[in-house]
Amino acid sequence: MALIVQKFGGSSVANAERVMNVARIVTETYAKGNDVVVVVSAQGDTTDDLIAKAAEISAKPSKREMDQLLAAGEQISIALLSMAIEKLGFPVCSLLGWQAGFSTNSVYGSARIKKINTERIKVELSRKNIVVVAGFQGINRYDDITTLGRGGSDTSAVAIAAAMHADRCQIFTDVEGVYTADPRKVKNAVKLSEITYDEMLELATLGAQVLNNRSVEMAKKYDVVLEVLSSMTNAPGTIVKESVKMEKMLVRGVTKDVNVARISIIGVPNVPGIAYKIFGKLAAENINVDIILQSVGRNDTKDITFTVSADNCEKTLEVLRGLELTAGLKIEYDDQNVAKVSAVGAGMETHPGVAASMFKALFEADINIQMISTSEIKISVLIDKADADKAVAAIHDAFIPDSKD
Ligand code: ADP
Ligand code: ASP
Ligand code: MG
C-alpha cells in the first residue's frame, strides 16, 4: 500500500461533471489499496471572481480580509468533491487548511508554510477515509486565515507529500504535462517526459504557469518527485526530479512573463556606493529586482535601468522617490508595454553560442531587444510586450527539434 498525494487545479474541478471525473480518478486510486490525500484548488475562475467582487467594494481592501475572502473558493471545492466521492460510495473527509495542520507566517496574500501538523490527516487516513484538503490556505500564529499566493495549491500538495513522505505526488491539470512552451499558445510545443527541478524552477519563475515556483523549490528541497499530468486524458505526464538523462536539447523550454516593469534612473552621480544604496533599500522593502543594467559613467553621471514585477512598480517608484540621492533625478518607467521572454535549459551551461542563436532568431523575426540577462541555465530578454508571442515562437522554432512541422 502506498501513500499518494493527488492535486487538482481549478479547471479540473470547474463544474459538476469535472468534479465527478476527479472523484472517479481519486476513488480508482483508493480502490487499488492506496492511502489517498487529495488537494484541490477553487473551481474554474472562482479566485479571480472573488478578487473582482472585492474590487467592487474597495480599491484597497486589507490583506487579511482579502485572504479571508479568497480562502472561501477552496472551501467550496473540497466540500463538492467530497460529496462526489461519497456519492460513488467511498469514505471521505474534507479538511480546510487549518484543519489539515497548515501553519504559515503572517504575510497575507503570499504566506509561506512554516510547518504542517499532519496528525489530523493521519487520523483520517487510519479511519480509511480519502482525505480532501483545501489547497492555497493555512493559518498564522494569530489564528487568522492566510493564503499562499496565486497558484499556491501546488505548494500545498508538495508540502503534504514532503511532510508525510508520500510515495507519489501527482499534479493533475488541464494539459498533459510540462511542454517546451505553453501548448495553448505554441501549437508545436513538445511534451517533455522529464525535466529537472532547476529547469522547472526557472520556467515557473519566468512565467510558465503550469507549476507554481514555490512548489518546485519545495519539491527540490525535500526531494519530492512530481508527476504533472492531465485530469482529462490518460496520457503519461512529465516527471520533475533532480536529474534526468541528458538529451540533445539545449533549450528545454521557452516562456514569457508579461508582469514586468522597466524602471530607469537617469543621471545618477558616478561615484561608488550608488547601486548599493538603491538596491539595498529596495531589498529592505522586499522588492525583488530582476535584470539590472548600468551604463558606463560619462561626464560624472551614469544611468541605471532595472526590472521589477509590474505589481511592484508603484511601490518601487515610491521607494526611489523617497531616496535622497534620486531627488531631482529623472526616473522613467514602463509597466505596460514590456515583456520578458526566456529560454531555459541545463544543456546551455556547457554549450557556447546559445545566446547568439537566440539573438539571431529574434533578429530574423525583427524583434528589438531592450535588455538581456543570463545565468548558467537561462537567457532572458526584455522586449516590447506586443512582440512577446512572436518572440516565444521564433526562439522555440530555433531550438526545439521537430517543432517546425
Ligand atoms: P491548474 O488550474 O491545474 O493549476 P494552471 O492554469 O495553473 O492549471 O496551469 C496550467 C496551464 O499552464 C496550462 O493550461 C497552460 O496553458 C499553462 N502553461 C504555460 N506554460 C506551460 C508549459 N511550458 N507547459 C504546460 N503548460 C503551460
Ligand atoms: N485558487 C488559487 C488561485 O487561483 C490557488 C490555485 O489555483 O492554486 O490562484
Ligand atoms: Mg495552477
Side-chain angles (χ1 to χ4, degrees):
M1 188 177 67
L3 170 62
I4 302 187
V5 174
Q6 299 186 316
K7 180 259 168 177
F8 296 89
S11 46
S12 298
V13 290
N15 54 40
E17 193 187 324
R18 292 209 175 152
V19 171
M20 286 311 302
N21 171 55
V22 168
R24 274 188 289 275
I25 296 174
V26 169
T27 53
E28 269 168 29
T29 310
Y30 177 89
K32 286 182 188 148
N34 300 301
D35 281 344
V36 187
V37 180
V38 186
V39 175
V40 256
S41 302
Q43 290 186 288
D45 296 328
T46 303
T47 308
D48 290 327
D49 294 345
L50 290 172
I51 291 170
K53 268 187 194 299
E56 282 173 23
I57 304 281
S58 162
K60 268 206 160 164
S62 73
K63 293 192 160 183
R64 179 189 183 277
E65 297 312 326
M66 207 54 204
D67 276 5
Q68 191 82 304
L69 176 72
L70 295 190
E74 272 69 14
Q75 177 155 7
I76 295 171
S77 52
I78 55 166
L80 292 175
L81 177 60
S82 299
M83 290 172 196
I85 292 171
E86 278 174 359
K87 186 172 157 186
L88 295 180
F90 289 83
V92 63
C93 173
S94 69
L95 298 174
L96 290 166
W98 68 268
Q99 293 174 304
F102 275 80
S103 299
T104 74
N105 67 12
S106 289
V107 184
Y108 295 107
S110 62
R112 281 190 180 260
I113 300 166
K114 291 204 306 201
K115 190 174 158 250
I116 307 180
N117 178 350
T118 54
E119 269 322 294
R120 178 70 187 273
I121 297 180
K122 284 183 183 147
V123 168
E124 297 304 336
L125 289 175
S126 72
R127 292 178 177 147
K128 291 286 148 216
N129 279 324
I130 294 170
V131 183
V132 180
V133 177
F136 179 57
Q137 55 177 259
I139 196 168
N140 65 15
R141 60 204 276 225
Y142 308 110
D143 285 350
D144 285 337
I145 303 293
T146 53
T147 67
L148 308 180
R150 297 308 302 269
S153 298
D154 296 334
T155 314
S156 309
V158 176
I160 291 180
M164 301 198 57
H165 306 288
D167 298 284
R168 289 176 83 175
C169 183
Q170 299 181 304
I171 309 288
F172 287 88
T173 183
D174 56 0
V175 289
E176 288 184 358
V178 179
Y179 285 69
T180 49
D182 185 343
R184 297 190 189 285
K185 297 263 168 57
V186 177
K187 286 290 160 248
N188 50 3
V190 180
K191 184 168 68 180
L192 298 164
S193 55
E194 301 181 316
I195 186 167
T196 66
Y197 291 128
D198 290 338
E199 289 171 318
M200 191 63 236
L201 185 57
E202 288 286 6
L203 278 179
T205 306
L206 294 167
Q209 192 192 346
V210 62
L211 280 177
N212 172 288
N213 60 349
R214 281 188 183 172
S215 74
V216 184
E217 207 172 59
M218 190 178 287
K220 180 178 163 72
K221 185 168 173 193
Y222 295 102
D223 217 0
V224 177
V225 174
L226 303 179
E227 200 179 329
V228 181
L229 67 174
S230 165
S231 63
M232 294 153 210
T233 70
N234 278 323
T238 302
I239 304 290
V240 188
K241 55 185 184 151
E242 184 59 37
S243 61
V244 307
K245 57 181 179 299
M246 282 310 275
E247 289 185 41
K248 275 183 237 115
M249 286 162 89
L250 291 180
V251 170
R252 310 262 288 152
V254 185
T255 186
K256 70 165 183 185
D257 183 359
V258 293
N259 180 25
V260 184
R262 189 195 62 226
I263 299 177
S264 302
I265 315 170
I266 316 281
V268 292
N270 190 17
V271 293
I274 298 293
Y276 166 59
K277 280 183 189 143
I278 293 173
F279 296 112
K281 184 71 182 156
L282 292 175
E285 297 290 332
N286 258 327
I287 297 172
N288 238 334
V289 175
D290 187 24
I291 312 178
I292 302 175
L293 200 83
Q294 183 185 282
S295 68
V296 176
R298 279 211 179 84
N299 301 330
D300 297 331
T301 66
K302 57 194 174 189
D303 304 336
I304 296 180
T305 301
F306 58 94
T307 63
V308 293
S309 79
D311 303 333
N312 271 335
C313 185
E314 221 179 281
K315 193 170 161 198
T316 306
L317 294 172
E318 245 169 60
V319 172
L320 291 180
R321 287 178 188 132
L323 276 179
E324 217 172 273
L325 81 157
T326 59
L329 292 182
K330 200 165 157 204
I331 297 176
E332 288 176 354
Y333 72 95
D334 186 343
D335 61 348
Q336 297 294 317
N337 305 304
V338 290
K340 187 168 54 181
V341 171
S342 310
V344 174
M348 64 175 75
E349 204 170 358
T350 47
H351 285 80
V354 177
S357 307
M358 177 162 158
F359 302 153
K360 178 170 177 245
L362 291 168
F363 162 66
E364 283 171 356
D366 200 22
I367 293 167
N368 186 38
I369 301 172
Q370 299 178 13
M371 295 172 86
I372 300 169
S373 96
T374 63
S375 78
E376 286 92 345
I377 66 163
K378 70 127 207 253
I379 302 164
S380 298
V381 291
L382 194 78
I383 57 170
D384 218 320
K385 194 192 266 182
D387 287 333
D389 287 332
K390 192 166 84 169
V392 170
I395 299 166
H396 190 264
D397 280 353
F399 284 107
I400 310 292
D402 307 317
S403 69
K404 280 183 213 145
D405 27 87

